[in-house]
Amino acid sequence: MLKDWTRFCDLSAKGGTMSLGDNPLVPPTDTGETLELPPSRLTATLGFGPSFFLREGVDRFGIAPTMPLHLKDIPRMARENIDPGISGGDVCLQICADDQQVAFHAVRNLIRLSTGRASLKWMQEGFASGTAGQTPRNLFGFKDGTANQLHDSAQGHDEVVWAGNDEPSWMRGGSYMAYRKIQMKLESWDRTSLSDQEATFGRSKVSGAAFGAHAEFDKVDAAKLPERSHVRLAKESKQQIHRRAYSYTDKVDPRTGNVDAGLLFISYQRDPDRQFVPMLRLMQNNDALNAYVSHVASAMFACPAGLQPGQYFGQRILES
Amino acid sequence: MMKKTSIGIVTIASMLALSACGGSKNDDAAGASSSASLTASSAAASPASASASADGSSAIRAGTAQMLDQTKQLQDLIGKSDADGVKTLGKTINETWLSFENAVRQTFPLEYTDVEKYEMPIFSASAYDKVDFDALKANASGLADALTKLQNAKPSTASSSELLKEAVKKYQQYVVDQTNKLTDQTQAFVDAVKAGNIDAAKAEYVKARVYYETIEPIAESFGELDPKIDARLADVDDPSAWTGFHEIEKALWVDHSLAGQDKYADQLITDVKALQAEVQKLELEPKTVVAGAMELLNEAATSKITGEEELYSHIDLVDLAANVDGSKTVYLSIIPALNESNVELADKLDEAFQEMEKALSGFVKDGQYVAYTELTTEQIRDISDRLAALSELMSQTAAIL
């Protein structure tokens, strides 16, 4: 399956499709909805969950010794409301493209290629929008990921994102993907005064500047931020993570008429035990934002380093 | 009173995505994102299979002799009504068969089909809590005959078009047999309904459904008859014109009364007999046969797996197993043709059917499939995943045409 996936991803990233008309008696190999569409910067990121290596103590694929050092499910947090049905999993695929039809075409055909070999546990669609060179905003209207700029260099990425030489060889240069689906109570938020909204984050809504600063990327003085504000807590954790969030929208809650929408928090880091989990715990216990959000899904995956030509996803794990 | 307005918001996702491609800060930050998480299934251990080479024929000889021996022992145990004994031996026989069946399938496809036909129910029965000795006795004797034929078999020299013709003929005979059984069984059902015996009618209903579901696509090819026999309430335009099995099913399981059902019972047996008459005249094409196998699995994967087919009696698993069985019959009859063009596909289908049947046999209690309503979401999902794998393979079989 991983070989088929790799071949398919190679093909689609170049804008190709699988065969559509080789034999009229059998179903077309490709589903066809991207014919005439450009590759739209399609990317595929693959990650392996803890259960891929060990599920309830069972090493199904004989690979437990190659388990990365920090790969485990995110522990229970206060105030979370996790639905196990949309959390975790053995393998995760994150498919991104500038065109949703291109992204979904890849998702759909990857699912088809997994038939009989893997079983689809959950699927989540999201979107992100921004102007080149500017930090994208989340559905609360605030900039999300300002601090990525702090490690925006090769050395910075080595320190924050890429897994190090203490890891099994396949994981070196890879990264841990932390995922939280965070429902945002948009209706309550939209009835909150601007000053309260800004105090909740600790930043100006329009400029993105932290309290006590003038511009978005000015140095933040945590002491000048409201005590339980989101940014202050992030700074107090003294850790950096690489944030790559998306927003999502879904159904209407028939009881309240509220829209189910929120943030697909995704962060990449080299050591979630040090960088991510303590930060999350600090937030879950203290963050003023908790009044407006609820974490409903959770997962941690280990994403191997990028492939060399001719390699397939997971090869260095399965053939180690 | 407050006026309520409901608002539907349509978001065109690709538009959102396009607006994203203005290029966010990171060069690979993308507009539309979709994460899919999957649970891997561990590879099923497949038994070592003998290849159809020169050792193939000696493996077949040795395997057949051993299996014949075991079948005779099984007949002894059946004679003694030894339930535990037959269950254990049923599993052993299956292991023996698995050790050389691939070689048989490739060399003696016609004989293979016969062995498979009798072997599988014996193995399935080993997983049941109750042993039906009468059924087992018939299968054991059928298996002994099939193995004896296999011992004396000569490799087929027929061309692939002859093989396909043979396959269609064989399948056509199956359809005729099933329709005859359907007619007899429907008669028994109708008699019970008209006698006002609810319990008997329920029992006969389950038995009759099996025969219909094994040949459903064929029945559906006779335009008018299928809706008259098999329509669900949701399928019909005018509920007052609803007839057939499911109308009486509702009377039995929901209304608990057979009052006024005589006319539906009469109509049902009339329609089933009309179907029987049509089937006798049937001239099947290879294309129809192969497409039918796919339709059966699609039926199972859409209306049965959701519990919509048997809305009142909840015997959806009975129908589902019958759909799978009907589909497998097609697979078994096209094996000779499949061997010619795609042996690997035959191997995979064989394994997928075995996995499916093994999974289904786990849901038999007191000799009957459990009600759909007793299944957990995880159990339904497991069956559905297996069906998907099987369907994916089956969708490739038409390449033999």
Side-chain angles (χ1 to χ4, degrees), chain B residues 62-343:
Chain B
T64 310
Q66 191 189 1
M67 205 168 151
L68 197 54
D69 231 35
Q70 291 167 342
T71 306
K72 284 177 182 151
Q73 288 172 37
L74 182 74
Q75 287 174 314
D76 283 350
L77 293 174
I78 294 170
K80 292 180 200 150
S81 298
D82 178 350
D84 290 338
V86 300
K87 281 189 193 179
T88 312
L89 199 54
K91 285 183 194 133
T92 312
I93 290 174
N94 189 56
E95 279 160 27
T96 310
W97 178 229
L98 289 181
S99 71
F100 73 107
E101 62 145 355
N102 282 359
V104 177
R105 177 152 32 79
Q106 285 166 34
T107 320
F108 305 112
L110 297 172
E111 289 76 10
Y112 169 87
T113 305
D114 279 344
V115 175
E116 183 76 11
K117 184 170 142 193
Y118 296 109
E119 190 277 336
M120 202 59 216
I122 292 175
F123 174 57
S124 292
S126 68
Y128 300 164
D129 51 354
K130 242 189 196 164
V131 177
D132 178 348
F133 283 102
D134 288 339
L136 209 54
K137 195 174 165 188
N139 283 321
S141 134
L143 182 58
D145 291 347
L147 288 166
T148 310
K149 262 196 252 162
L150 178 57
Q151 272 185 325
N152 304 315
K154 302 261 182 307
S156 165
T157 52
S159 71
S160 55
S161 67
E162 283 172 329
L163 289 172
L164 207 54
K165 229 164 116 188
E166 186 65 26
V168 171
K169 217 174 91 192
K170 214 165 160 179
Y171 182 69
Q172 189 150 337
Q173 188 53 50
Y174 168 79
V175 173
V176 170
D177 288 349
Q178 291 298 100
T179 317
N180 290 342
K181 287 178 186 160
L182 170 69
T183 312
D184 293 349
Q185 192 54 55
T186 305
Q187 186 66 59
F189 171 58
V190 162
D191 290 347
V193 169
K194 293 181 77 174
N197 187 337
I198 290 184
D199 288 339
K202 281 182 173 177
E204 302 296 348
Y205 175 84
V206 179
K207 291 189 217 161
R209 294 296 298 160
V210 173
Y211 298 115
Y212 195 80
E213 292 296 333
T214 52
I215 54 154
E216 202 170 9
I218 304 286
E220 282 170 357
S221 68
F222 303 116
E224 286 290 279
L225 285 173
D226 174 65
K228 284 166 85 176
I229 297 171
D230 194 36
R232 295 167 297 181
L233 182 54
D235 299 330
V236 297
D237 182 32
D238 173 9
S240 70
W242 182 32
T243 62
F245 276 118
H246 296 302
E247 196 281 338
I248 308 177
E249 180 201 2
K250 179 168 175 285
L252 285 169
W253 272 275
V254 178
D255 307 335
H256 307 290
S257 161
L258 287 169
Q261 291 298 313
D262 279 20
K263 63 173 181 176
Y264 295 108
D266 287 335
Q267 185 64 47
L268 178 62
I269 190 64
T270 306
D271 293 334
V272 168
K273 280 182 176 163
L275 176 70
Q276 187 186 25
E278 293 283 358
V279 165
Q280 309 296 328
K281 293 183 281 179
L282 195 63
E283 285 289 345
L284 283 171
E285 294 290 327
K287 217 171 166 171
T288 322
V289 175
V290 174
M294 195 61 232
E295 282 168 47
L296 279 161
L297 293 180
N298 282 342
E299 275 284 339
T302 52
S303 59
K304 311 313 189 303
I305 200 69
T306 53
E308 291 163 42
E309 179 75 17
E310 302 284 356
L311 205 50
Y312 318 110
S313 61
H314 305 302
I315 60 158
D316 302 271
L317 273 190
V318 173
D319 294 13
L320 190 145
N323 285 160
V324 171
D325 210 43
S327 184
K328 189 183 175 186
T329 307
V330 176
Y331 153 71
L332 289 174
S333 37
I334 63 168
I335 284 174
L338 216 47
N339 279 349
E340 295 262 306
S341 63
N342 196 342
V343 175

